[in-house]
Amino acid sequence: LQRRPSLIALDENMSEPAKTKRTAPAEYSEDPKPTKKQKTAGDDEEKREEKQSKALREGWELSTKRKVKLDRFKGQLLVNIREFYTKDGKELPGRKGIALTPQQWSKLYEHMAEIDEKATKEELVSFSLSAKRRAQVSKYKGMLMVGIREVYTKDGKELPGKKGISLTLDQWKKLVECSKSIDQAVTEAVKEEEEAS
């Protein structure tokens, strides 16, 4: 039988094995410790842009299914307030919702405080976003809702159309909370469009 050399050497004068210090191979011991990356103003700007682009991709959540996203349709920038569903692992827009132009979003943003005040007091009110679009506080089946939808006229009476979305007060409050961030994103996107053309 052949004996293998022991990892721990025995000292001749001692009955216990001598302890040896383990060291890293020479190629590793000469490497300096990694240094911490220094923060620069550019890093903060990159993080802000990355966070904003993530927000644009993922949108702003109003509930588990409802979100606000910035989209483009036929080259037109739109603020999409919509219900989304998942199919084959992809998040897709549903039928319930409305896509506002930057001008319509601006009008909604301008009237948000008034709409919020009326909704809190449970007062019914309507604000024009364009010739055929309204934001209104109304009751549906006894529940207070904030509707953002298209309207049509029949027999001299203005009626709500199929295109649009009715938000519960909780969803409306979430929209109000993230409205400043949405408005900044819309303003920046419009500015980029103008600079590009």
Side-chain angles (χ1 to χ4, degrees), residues 6 8-19:
S6 173
I8 301 173
L10 284 174
D11 191 337
E12 291 175 15
N13 300 331
M14 301 177 86
S15 59
E16 291 183 30
K19 293 181 180 176

Side-chain angles (χ1 to χ4, degrees), residues 23-39:
T23 58
E27 63 207 39
Y28 296 111
S29 63
E30 293 174 15
D31 287 344
K33 287 185 178 179
T35 57
K36 191 175 179 180
K37 185 182 172 191
Q38 297 295 317
K39 263 189 159 183

Side-chain angles (χ1 to χ4, degrees), residues 5 9 11 27 36 60 63 65-66 68 79 95 101 103-104 110 123 126 133 144 161 173-175 191:
D11 191 337
E27 63 207 39
K36 191 175 179 180
W60 295 266
S63 70
K65 290 183 179 181
R66 292 181 174 195
V68 179
V79 180
R95 297 183 88 191
T101 65
Q103 295 80 11
Q104 292 165 353
E110 181 183 312
E123 294 177 14
S126 179
R133 292 194 170 184
L144 204 64
K173 295 285 184 194
K174 286 187 179 180
L175 179 62
K191 189 177 177 182

Side-chain angles (χ1 to χ4, degrees), residues 63-81:
S63 70
T64 53
K65 290 183 179 181
R66 292 181 174 195
K67 291 185 178 186
V68 179
K69 287 187 172 188
L70 292 190
D71 290 324
R72 290 196 181 280
F73 182 71
K74 295 183 180 179
Q76 170 74 38
L77 177 69
L78 298 169
V79 180
N80 208 350
I81 305 170

Side-chain angles (χ1 to χ4, degrees), residues 2-188:
Q2 204 177 18
R3 274 188 133 175
R4 287 208 235 153
S6 173
L7 292 177
I8 301 173
L10 284 174
D11 191 337
E12 291 175 15
N13 300 331
M14 301 177 86
S15 59
E16 291 183 30
K19 293 181 180 176
T20 58
K21 185 178 177 183
R22 296 182 100 184
T23 58
E27 63 207 39
Y28 296 111
S29 63
E30 293 174 15
D31 287 344
K33 287 185 178 179
T35 57
K36 191 175 179 180
K37 185 182 172 191
Q38 297 295 317
K39 263 189 159 183
T40 64
D43 290 342
D44 289 339
E45 181 68 22
E46 283 177 27
K47 279 186 180 180
R48 188 183 67 75
E49 286 175 7
E50 185 178 312
K51 190 176 180 182
Q52 184 181 17
S53 105
K54 183 179 178 185
L56 294 178
R57 280 191 314 274
E58 294 178 8
W60 295 266
E61 195 171 286
L62 303 179
S63 70
T64 53
K65 290 183 179 181
R66 292 181 174 195
K67 291 185 178 186
V68 179
K69 287 187 172 188
L70 292 190
D71 290 324
R72 290 196 181 280
F73 182 71
K74 295 183 180 179
Q76 170 74 38
L77 177 69
L78 298 169
V79 180
N80 208 350
I81 305 170
R82 188 164 298 281
E83 202 165 276
F84 288 83
Y85 67 97
T86 306
K87 183 177 180 181
D88 300 327
K90 283 187 174 182
E91 189 177 69
L92 301 169
R95 297 183 88 191
K96 289 183 184 178
I98 193 161
L100 303 174
T101 65
Q103 295 80 11
Q104 292 165 353
W105 165 258
S106 181
K107 283 215 173 180
L108 178 64
Y109 185 64
E110 181 183 312
H111 292 294
M112 247 178 206
E114 290 175 75
I115 295 169
D116 196 41
E117 182 184 327
K118 299 289 184 184
T120 304
K121 292 179 180 178
E122 295 190 14
E123 294 177 14
L124 308 183
V125 68
S126 179
F127 291 96
S128 175
L129 303 179
S130 71
K132 292 185 177 182
R133 292 194 170 184
R134 304 277 181 272
Q136 55 195 16
V137 177
S138 60
K139 281 193 175 183
Y140 179 72
K141 294 185 179 179
M143 202 165 135
L144 204 64
M145 307 289 275
V146 178
I148 305 165
R149 61 180 54 253
E150 281 190 1
V151 293
Y152 67 97
T153 307
K154 184 177 179 182
D155 300 328
K157 198 174 184 183
E158 198 173 83
L159 299 169
K162 289 183 180 180
K163 288 186 182 179
I165 192 163
S166 293
L167 304 173
T168 65
L169 284 184
D170 287 342
Q171 293 166 353
W172 171 253
K173 295 285 184 194
K174 286 187 179 180
L175 179 62
V176 171
E177 284 174 19
C178 58
S179 64
K180 187 175 182 179
S181 171
I182 297 167
D183 195 59
Q184 286 174 341
V186 170
T187 303
E188 287 178 22

